[in-house]
Amino acid sequence: MKKTSSASSSKSRKRSPRVFSKEKAAQLYSALAEDRPDPRTELDFVNPYTLVVAVALSAQATDVGVNKATAKLFKIADTPEKMLALGEEGVAEHIKTIGLWRNKAKNVIALSRMIIEEFDGQVPETRDELTRLPGVGRKTANVVMNEAFGHPTIAVDTHIFRVSNRTGLAPGKTPDEVEAGLERATPEEFKKGAHHWLILHGRYVCKARKPECWHCVISDLCKFKPKTPDPAKVSSLGPKGG
């Protein structure tokens, strides 16, 4: 994985235009929090190590698909030592249903070895250390920091990128720009859950092809226009002129 300097990284994370005030952002998060009081990742894991593996496997794959593959894998290999003993071919046999499984199997073994050799078998807690692990980028590191260690990080995936731009909460042309915008726009009391609220909202309501605006709890705050009408009401009206 190619490393970038902190200077170039910060340069790439340009400031996105602020559309939401902190007060308006607080209203948005309050509505999402009321709708989903206990947000959490939908990836199955049993400890920080299996979370790292699960998130690394989830790149270009669905959480459902990853959970099916790891259900048996984590029963026999829930520590880096056990995973290393399983070997690359053993890991591969369990994850063949996941996209890019060959490369991911290599990364799982490599990151397991690094955790043992450089971190005494414990998953590191900082972003700089996490992103040293093979197959672990900034997004994966942010998920692990948030879910496993309780840090108020926001991992920008396709769902969060879409919701942030559609709503106007944190518009940006790149995930880094959106992340920077979310860090500024999100009130402190909502930062721990922001990642989960936004990703779940994007996954189940603010969908890519057709956002379900008719039952969106933040539709009155969202900048997206025109809002998608309720198909049940549209069909009940019948054809025009009928």
Side-chain angles (χ1 to χ4, degrees), residues 98-193:
I98 301 175
L100 307 175
W101 59 272
R102 290 185 185 278
N103 191 55
K104 289 178 180 179
K106 292 180 181 178
N107 284 337
V108 168
I109 291 299
L111 71 83
S112 299
R113 182 176 291 110
M114 182 177 285
I115 289 174
I116 293 170
E117 295 178 351
E118 300 190 27
F119 300 105
D120 298 321
Q122 301 299 312
V123 173
E125 190 170 339
T126 69
R127 184 183 289 115
D128 287 344
E129 289 175 319
L130 283 164
T131 52
R132 286 179 55 202
L133 300 175
V136 176
R138 184 181 181 88
K139 183 178 72 173
T140 298
N142 281 350
V143 172
V144 174
M145 290 171 66
N146 181 291
E147 187 71 31
F149 302 116
H151 293 292
T153 51
I154 302 175
V156 179
D157 71 342
T158 57
H159 297 300
I160 293 180
F161 186 83
R162 179 174 65 255
V163 172
S164 297
N165 275 286
R166 271 185 182 165
T167 61
L169 175 63
K173 295 181 179 179
T174 67
D176 281 352
E177 286 184 22
V178 170
E179 183 183 335
L182 287 172
E183 288 174 352
R184 292 194 305 276
T186 306
E188 288 298 323
E189 64 267 31
F190 295 107
K191 282 188 174 179
K192 174 63 172 64

Side-chain angles (χ1 to χ4, degrees), residues 27-28 30-36 201 205 212-221:
Q27 293 177 41
L28 180 144
S30 292
L32 293 178
E34 184 175 351
D35 188 47
R36 300 181 190 275
H201 189 69
V205 180
E212 299 180 0
C213 304
W214 62 91
H215 66 94
C216 174
V217 297
I218 57 172
S219 61
D220 58 328
L221 299 169

Side-chain angles (χ1 to χ4, degrees), residues 1-123:
M1 182 182 295
K2 185 178 180 182
K3 298 293 190 297
T4 57
S5 65
S6 58
S8 62
S9 176
S10 60
K11 186 177 180 180
S12 67
R13 300 179 70 228
K14 297 178 181 178
R15 295 177 66 88
S16 57
R18 174 173 289 186
V19 177
F20 271 47
S21 65
K22 278 287 180 72
E23 292 74 20
K24 188 175 179 181
Q27 293 177 41
L28 180 144
Y29 282 115
S30 292
L32 293 178
E34 184 175 351
D35 188 47
R36 300 181 190 275
D38 187 28
R40 59 186 63 192
T41 181
E42 294 187 322
L43 286 170
D44 294 335
F45 68 99
V46 295
N47 53 34
Y49 169 71
T50 53
L51 177 62
V52 172
V53 173
V55 180
L57 293 177
S58 70
Q60 298 184 44
T62 65
D63 288 359
V64 172
V66 171
N67 289 340
K68 287 182 179 178
T70 58
K72 292 182 179 180
L73 177 62
F74 290 162
K75 286 182 179 179
I76 61 174
D78 59 355
T79 68
E81 293 82 4
K82 292 177 182 177
M83 195 71 75
L84 205 58
L86 191 59
E88 187 177 318
E89 290 303 317
V91 173
E93 284 300 316
H94 284 85
I95 66 171
K96 282 186 175 180
T97 55
I98 301 175
L100 307 175
W101 59 272
R102 290 185 185 278
N103 191 55
K104 289 178 180 179
K106 292 180 181 178
N107 284 337
V108 168
I109 291 299
L111 71 83
S112 299
R113 182 176 291 110
M114 182 177 285
I115 289 174
I116 293 170
E117 295 178 351
E118 300 190 27
F119 300 105
D120 298 321
Q122 301 299 312
V123 173

Side-chain angles (χ1 to χ4, degrees), residues 190-202:
F190 295 107
K191 282 188 174 179
K192 174 63 172 64
H195 166 78
H196 297 303
W197 284 315
L198 294 174
I199 193 172
L200 293 172
H201 189 69

